[in-house]
Amino acid sequence: TNYRVDGCITAGSFEEALAFARKAPGGDDISVVGGGEIYALAMAHAERLCLTLVEDAPDGADTFFPAYDGYTVKSRGEPQTENGIRYHYEELVRNR
């Protein structure tokens, strides 16, 4: 790719970015921050999901986390409300 940012490594694909991340310090525990398309690409590699589940669907929402069948809930946080929006945290692990 021709995109460059000083002090950053750029990748032309998700697989290339993943390879860079695996070689970096801490590369045995990689976090992915989306958009929806990035999350969809990452799902084939994800052993663990740390999700904030929002109990709302605002008008005009057009991006959603991909389906995550094949995972089991490891932990679930207590429901919380902030600015009138209800949510909770969940950690899931891939079924083996």
Side-chain angles (χ1 to χ4, degrees):
T1 181
N2 293 330
Y3 182 75
R4 301 279 182 241
V5 175
D6 289 341
C8 295
I9 298 170
T10 57
S13 69
F14 182 82
E15 288 73 21
E16 186 179 5
L18 189 57
F20 284 139
R22 284 183 173 143
K23 293 177 188 173
D28 56 333
D29 190 18
I30 299 167
S31 296
V32 174
V33 180
E37 291 180 36
I38 300 298
Y39 289 137
L41 293 170
M43 291 302 289
H45 307 277
E47 296 298 319
R48 180 172 61 121
L49 305 177
C50 299
L51 304 177
T52 302
L53 298 171
V54 178
E55 298 174 23
D56 191 14
D59 291 339
D62 63 357
T63 303
F64 300 90
F65 196 81
Y68 47 95
D69 298 329
Y71 291 85
T72 300
V73 175
K74 179 177 178 183
S75 65
R76 177 178 286 131
E78 293 296 319
Q80 301 182 44
T81 302
E82 188 170 327
N83 297 322
I85 298 173
R86 291 184 47 84
Y87 64 93
H88 68 277
Y89 299 108
E90 285 187 3
E91 179 181 0
L92 299 96
V93 292
R94 185 183 295 278
N95 297 336
R96 290 282 168 205

